[in-house]
Amino acid sequence: MPDRSFYSKHLWWGILSLVVIVMFTACSSTKHIPEGSHLLWKNKVILNSDKVMTNKGELRENLSNIIVQQPNGRFLGMTIVKIPKKLWWYNFRYKKYHTTPDSLLPKGMERPVLYDTLTTLRTRENMKNYLFNQGYFYASIHDTVHYRRKKAFVVWTVNAGSNYLINRINYDIDDSTIAAIVKKAQQATVLTKGNEFTYSMLEEERSRITTVVNNHGYRRFSLENIRFSIDTMDKSIFKVAASPFENAVNFVTQAKSNRKNTLDIDIIIRKGEDSLSYNSYTINKITVYPDFEGSEDTHDSGLISRTINGIEFRYHKEYVYPRVLYKHLFLYPGSLYSRANEERTLSRLGGLGIFQYARIQFRENRLTHDSLECSVLLNKAQKYDFSTNYEVSNGSTYTIGNSLSLNFRNKNFMKGANLLSLSANGGVEMWYNEQLPGNIYRRLELLTLYYGINASLDFPKFIAPVASSLFSNTNLPHTVISVGENVMDRVDYFKLINTSLNFSYNWRETDTKTWTLSPMFVNAIRVPVKSQSFQEVLSSNQYLANSYKPTFIEGENIAFKFDNSQRKKGRSYSYLRLAAEEAGAVMGGLKKLGFALNQLYELEDTLFAQYTKFDFDARHYFSLRRSTMAFRFYGGIGIPYGEPWVMPYIKQYYAGGPYSLRGWRIRTLGPGRYYNNEDALAANQIDRTGDIKLEMNGEYRFPVMPMFAGAVKMNGALFADAGNIWLSYPDTAYAGGEFAMDKLGHDIAMDMGIGSRFEIASFLTVRVDLAMPVKKPYSPNVGGWVFKEIDFANSTWRKENLVVNLSIGYPF
């Protein structure tokens, strides 16, 4: 085998070649620049301010984005190596394309961006306008250009000055009723004393006030009825001084201090040109068309008619029960018009999934101008849909896998807008065994066979035992009942059958907070087949023996989720999920009462699980200029109680794989410091599971380049993972596998790696990650760190440590 010096020499040659390529690319980028012209190579923004800036980085990025003339697009633009790939390709094919109009150039090419001094004035105006809107009224911008080897490097020095703090908000409203409405809702304003002022706040406040007034019946009240007056004179400078000289001294002192200037805002509301903008409207009549086909339906006297609490439903055929639709309406005869209720009605009806579109039309009484007639127009969608999905995959514990799923949905089951879903799925996982004789097909060994059938029924309401009156329809209440049976056949080990039943409620507290409550779920786990070799393993490992016993689980769980990604609209956002689960209390009570059912389970050697379980998943996403930083901290703890002091197999935690610690193959890490070399090398190993899990992940995600004329976007990622699983109680079969606070630092495993994500037509993301462990809890090295063992040139090291994960979607 070649020695390490051989690989070191070639490594240095590779680095040198890369440097030469980069230098060649940099030089060739100016190959066809005309004499006297310069290639715009870089824009740099230096931002200064008289006072402390809380969002300096964001302002600098936004200023960079509004520079009129930008350099050519870069390949790997978010990394150290910055190559203008499109420009390089244009220069390479210059003879063919130099006379081609820009609009006809291939998408993979760009002409060189020649620095144009005439664009600087527009850039200055853009920057001044942007800073003015951010509250920096007296900014100054200067540009400096450095020329080197036909390249232009532009430095923009921006002195933003100081922005203003809001001091006082005054209201000037010419109608007492509207004034009372606005002032009653004043607590929700974004214009708060002491906050930094930006002009976007005024637009947000204008929209807020308009919505508030609209929601009180004033349908024709609009943004044009509101304007603002701003006074930037800080009167606090003059309020103490008794002479002009003292005033001047105070002004200079304030200017030199780090205290920001303040301003007063007058909110002025006037009737304006629309004489009806101050008219309040009441909804007089509501008509709903559940199977609307065209405008002629509104005049068709032959339609079936039914009235519920003053709301008329008119339809050709009873596509959906009118009472179901009635419960999703927020507009009522005799009520004041409300834009919020109009939007909420459209959202709820559209969310039922049984209509192609939902529209609301209002007709105003032209005589009194104080009442409305409302028509709710609903066009029915296709009731049934059927889909299939076939996947071929490669995993860390198998060579090739494939799966097929068949899905059927009835979106209006029993005419109640209930969603009935049926699915059947199956798949196999195979391992390529080089030791077997024959061709490639004969060397594929079957590892796992799995199949199942599942059904669920989703009601768009709460059903017994929870009364619908406990929650408002604005909470989007749902009741879901699901059943299923799934089989996992681990060849040469065991066959496990899981029969499940779940009854749950879910509802939305706000647009960012949702809840799910399952007052009852059931799992019946059976292991009808165990191989002789697997039975021998169970006989020597009590933890595994209890994990794979037939088990009956009956319990309850509740989960809370916070997600503000929609509200943030592309900005940095957060996600949090908390869940708690309990099982065994009801069955334990039945056992104490001596129920025959429980005795039957004992005769069949079936355990009923007893445990409590808590899970959490916290994430934060930092949205940068062209990239994203994503972090996750999640895990859970399961606490078994009563015999046999083990969590059920399907409720245990595992680590490793494409959605966990990517430097380890799925279910091969832990628990704790435990390690068995024979298990690690086995193709069909026994799963490593535990009762406790902690995991942290971090990713830096950035765009790389578009492919196939933009149909596929290739993105890159740098990531690191840390975590492990543990047992709740010590077990002799897993030495070092129990959780211990004083060993936590040592027990944490860590990996790092790189990845590619291919976004196909904005609906499917294929992910490939390459990871390696850098800290192994079971390593004899100090702290478990294995940096010194990294040897990419060693094939054995690569085989044992480099893990490729191919999967669908992002890891979190």
Side-chain angles (χ1 to χ4, degrees):
M1 179 178 180
D3 58 19
R4 296 176 64 90
S5 62
F6 173 83
Y7 293 105
S8 299
K9 181 176 69 174
H10 282 72
L11 177 62
W12 283 110
W13 272 110
I15 295 174
L16 180 61
S17 300
L18 179 62
V19 172
V20 171
I21 291 172
V22 173
M23 292 179 63
F24 169 76
T25 302
C27 294
S28 64
S29 60
T30 60
K31 184 177 180 180
H32 298 291
I33 301 298
E35 286 298 326
S37 298
H38 294 82
L39 176 68
L40 178 59
W41 191 252
K42 184 179 182 181
N43 287 318
K44 181 180 180 181
V45 175
I46 300 175
L47 180 59
N48 301 314
S49 176
D50 298 339
K51 304 292 189 295
V52 175
M53 305 177 75
T54 57
N55 58 341
K56 188 173 183 178
E58 180 182 350
L59 288 175
R60 186 168 50 236
E61 284 192 9
N62 291 338
L63 288 169
S64 299
N65 289 335
I66 61 178
I67 295 174
V68 173
Q69 206 175 22
Q70 298 285 351
N72 290 98
R74 309 296 175 89
F75 174 64
L76 300 181
M78 299 308 298
T79 60
I80 297 175
V81 181
K82 297 185 177 181
I83 304 173
K85 184 197 69 155
K86 292 184 178 182
L87 173 59
W88 181 87
W89 186 241
Y90 170 80
N91 287 334
F92 186 74
R93 304 293 303 276
Y94 178 78
K95 289 183 179 180
K96 181 177 180 180
Y97 290 103
H98 75 281
T99 60
T100 303
D102 289 349
S103 59
L104 298 179
L105 280 177
K107 291 187 177 182
M109 289 186 183
E110 276 183 358
R111 280 190 217 284
V113 177
L114 302 181
Y115 176 62
D116 184 0
T117 56
L118 297 179
T119 63
T120 57
L121 182 60
R122 290 164 54 197
T123 295
R124 285 198 201 101
E125 290 301 315
N126 288 351
M127 288 185 171
K128 280 190 175 182
N129 291 336
Y130 170 74
L131 290 170
F132 190 87
N133 288 330
Q134 297 301 311
Y136 295 89
F137 299 144
Y138 307 106
S140 62
I141 295 101
H142 303 280
D143 63 285
T144 305
V145 186
H146 303 282
Y147 299 100
R148 292 199 303 269
R149 295 189 297 273
K150 286 193 174 184
K151 294 179 182 177
F153 300 79
V154 185
V155 179
W156 296 91
T157 303
V158 181
N159 294 302
S162 176
N163 61 343
Y164 285 75
L165 301 180
I166 298 173
N167 178 47
R168 188 176 58 182
I169 297 95
N170 304 311
Y171 291 91
D172 181 2
I173 305 174
D174 63 348
D175 183 271
S176 59
T177 304
I178 292 179
I181 293 171
V182 172
K183 291 181 179 179
K184 185 178 180 181
Q186 186 177 353
Q187 289 183 347
T189 182
V190 295
L191 300 176
T192 306
K193 183 175 181 178
N195 283 355
E196 292 185 347
F197 170 80
T198 66
Y199 265 92
S200 61
M201 287 181 171
L202 299 185
E203 295 306 314
E204 187 173 346
E205 181 67 2
R206 192 195 304 267
S207 297
R208 187 192 69 83
I209 292 175
T210 301
T211 300
V212 168
V213 177
N214 287 159
N215 290 342
H216 285 77
Y218 296 87
R219 181 171 177 263
R220 297 182 66 156
F221 186 91
S222 67
L223 301 174
E224 283 70 28
N225 294 103
I226 307 171
R227 62 186 178 89
F228 300 92
S229 177
I230 298 174
D231 184 359
T232 59
M233 178 62 72
D234 191 347
K235 300 176 180 62
S236 65
I237 301 172
F238 305 101
K239 66 180 181 180
V240 178
S243 69
F245 177 75
E246 289 179 87
N247 284 336
V249 172
N250 289 342
F251 185 84
V252 173
T253 302
Q254 193 272 346
K256 290 183 177 181
S257 71
N258 200 38
R259 189 170 70 87
K260 293 184 177 181
N261 300 324
T262 62
L263 53 77
D264 297 338
I265 302 174
D266 291 327
I267 302 176
I268 303 167
I269 298 178
R270 294 290 183 265
K271 193 171 189 178
E273 297 180 358
D274 186 354
S275 60
L276 300 177
S277 61
Y278 279 7
N279 281 29
S280 178
Y281 289 85
T282 301
I283 298 176
N284 185 38
K285 180 182 178 182
I286 300 176
T287 306
V288 181
Y289 298 87
D291 54 355
F292 183 75
E293 295 179 354
S295 58
E296 62 277 3
D297 285 358
T298 59
H299 308 291
D300 188 351
S301 60
L303 295 181
I304 301 171
S305 178
R306 182 181 175 187
T307 301
I308 300 177
N309 292 336
I311 298 178
E312 184 182 11
F313 294 82
R314 304 186 70 230
Y315 45 89
H316 300 272
K317 293 182 180 180
E318 195 172 56
Y319 171 64
V320 58
Y321 290 133
R323 184 162 294 278
V324 173
L325 300 181
Y326 174 78
K327 292 180 179 180
H328 291 77
L329 299 176
F330 297 88
L331 302 171
Y332 306 100
S335 64
L336 286 175
Y337 168 80
S338 167
R339 186 205 292 183
N341 287 339
E342 178 186 356
E343 294 175 349
R344 193 176 292 126
T345 297
L346 288 173
S347 175
R348 287 302 308 275
L349 291 173
L352 291 175
I354 61 174
F355 301 112
Q356 283 188 342
Y357 65 79
R359 297 201 314 264
I360 297 178
Q361 292 182 351
F362 290 97
R363 290 186 298 275
E364 183 179 321
N365 188 316
R366 297 183 180 275
L367 296 177
T368 60
H369 298 289
D370 60 0
S371 63
L372 301 168
E373 289 188 2
C374 171
S375 296
V376 182
L377 311 178
L378 306 171
N379 182 259
K380 62 182 183 180
Q382 186 176 351
K383 183 177 180 180
Y384 307 103
D385 66 37
F386 181 81
S387 63
T388 61
N389 183 45
Y390 179 73
E391 292 184 4
V392 177
S393 60
N394 169 260
S396 53
T397 57
Y398 59 92
T399 304
I400 186 172
N402 59 79
S403 61
L404 174 67
S405 63
L406 308 175
N407 307 286
F408 168 80
R409 295 197 311 166
N410 181 342
K411 293 179 284 187
N412 191 24
F413 183 65
M414 297 179 66
K415 298 183 180 181
N418 308 309
L419 175 62
L420 173 65
S421 300
L422 302 173
S423 66
N425 60 83
V428 297
E429 295 173 357
M430 292 177 286
W431 179 263
Y432 183 71
N433 190 345
E434 296 179 350
Q435 307 301 321
L436 293 179
N439 57 34
I440 184 174
Y441 301 105
R442 294 181 179 274
R443 295 180 180 180
L444 287 173
E445 287 188 273
L446 180 63
L447 292 182
T448 307
L449 174 66
Y450 54 91
Y451 51 90
I453 184 168
N454 297 275
S456 68
L457 187 56
D458 186 340
F459 300 89
K461 61 182 179 180
F462 283 151
I463 59 177
V466 174
S468 298
S469 58
L470 294 179
F471 290 85
S472 166
N473 281 342
T474 59
N475 297 120
L476 302 176
H478 278 260
T479 304
V480 182
I481 301 173
S482 59
V483 295
E485 180 157 299
N486 293 274
V487 179
M488 180 174 66
D489 188 353
R490 291 288 299 273
V491 178
D492 297 331
Y493 277 119
F494 62 86
K495 177 185 288 186
L496 185 146
I497 303 174
N498 177 22
T499 303
S500 60
L501 168 65
N502 187 60
F503 183 92
S504 64
Y505 302 105
N506 59 70
W507 68 95
R508 178 174 293 180
E509 179 182 340
T510 66
D511 60 344
T512 60
K513 302 175 184 178
T514 57
W515 292 85
T516 300
L517 170 65
S518 295
M520 183 195 72
F521 70 87
V522 172
N523 291 93
I525 302 171
R526 292 162 288 159
V527 190
V529 177
K530 298 177 185 176
S531 68
Q532 183 63 35
S533 59
F534 185 62
Q535 188 61 58
E536 292 174 0
V537 173
L538 297 182
S539 300
S540 61
N541 189 322
Q542 192 60 40
Y543 179 84
L544 284 179
N546 291 329
S547 297
Y548 288 93
K549 275 189 175 182
T551 307
F552 183 81
I553 309 172
E554 188 285 325
E556 317 80 36
N557 58 48
I558 187 170
F560 166 78
K561 185 176 74 173
F562 171 86
D563 184 354
N564 65 350
S565 58
Q566 294 299 319
R567 177 179 291 184
K568 291 292 185 176
K569 296 180 180 179
R571 294 176 292 172
S572 299
Y573 62 95
S574 301
Y575 172 95
L576 174 67
R577 184 181 184 275
L578 303 173
E581 182 172 303
E582 184 280 331
V586 173
M587 295 301 298
L590 292 175
K591 182 179 180 180
K592 289 181 180 180
L593 292 174
F595 272 60
L597 175 65
N598 197 60
Q599 295 173 6
L600 177 63
Y601 280 127
E602 287 183 348
L603 291 174
E604 294 183 352
D605 194 31
T606 298
L607 303 171
F608 67 85
Q610 301 179 86
Y611 65 87
T612 55
K613 191 168 181 276
F614 304 93
D615 296 279
F616 67 92
D617 185 351
R619 312 175 192 177
H620 190 75
Y621 302 83
F622 294 94
S623 297
L624 307 179
R625 183 179 177 184
R626 292 193 182 95
S627 57
T628 301
M629 296 284 289
F631 298 94
R632 176 177 67 170
F633 178 43
Y634 83 112
I637 177 172
I639 307 173
Y641 63 91
E643 296 295 337
W645 302 96
V646 172
M647 295 284 292
Y649 172 76
I650 64 170
K651 298 294 182 178
Q652 293 172 355
Y653 300 101
Y654 65 88
Y659 301 94
S660 182
L661 276 84
R662 284 161 279 187
W664 278 265
R665 294 173 176 83
I666 191 169
R667 296 184 176 89
T668 61
L669 175 64
R673 301 176 299 283
Y674 172 77
Y675 182 73
N676 186 316
N677 187 60
E678 292 182 1
D679 287 349
L681 297 177
N684 198 3
Q685 63 179 15
I686 299 175
D687 296 342
R688 304 281 187 82
T689 57
D691 307 319
I692 302 171
K693 180 175 184 176
L694 289 176
E695 191 165 313
M696 294 159 284
N697 314 90
E699 280 200 356
Y700 175 59
R701 301 168 180 171
F702 54 89
V704 177
M705 64 177 180
M707 303 170 66
F708 304 106
V712 177
K713 295 180 181 178
M714 179 181 178
N715 300 319
L718 304 175
F719 61 83
D721 309 308
N724 207 337
I725 57 170
W726 294 268
L727 304 179
S728 295
Y729 305 102
D731 191 289
T732 55
Y734 295 100
E738 72 280 1
F739 182 85
M741 187 60 70
D742 59 336
K743 299 291 186 180
L744 179 61
H746 185 278
D747 287 355
I748 293 293
M750 294 183 67
D751 66 61
M752 57 193 304
I754 58 175
S756 296
R757 290 90 167 89
F758 300 90
E759 294 185 3
I760 304 172
S762 301
F763 77 93
L764 177 66
T765 300
V766 178
R767 174 165 56 96
V768 182
D769 289 329
L770 175 65
M772 65 178 182
V774 295
K775 183 177 182 295
K776 301 177 180 179
Y778 45 84
S779 173
N781 297 337
V782 177
W785 297 101
V786 293
F787 281 107
K788 293 183 178 180
E789 299 176 6
I790 296 175
D791 187 359
F792 292 101
N794 189 311
S795 61
T796 302
W797 180 90
R798 293 197 304 269
K799 182 177 180 180
E800 295 178 354
N801 294 275
L802 292 183
V803 178
V804 178
N805 292 287
L806 175 64
S807 54
I808 303 297
Y810 283 85
F812 57 93

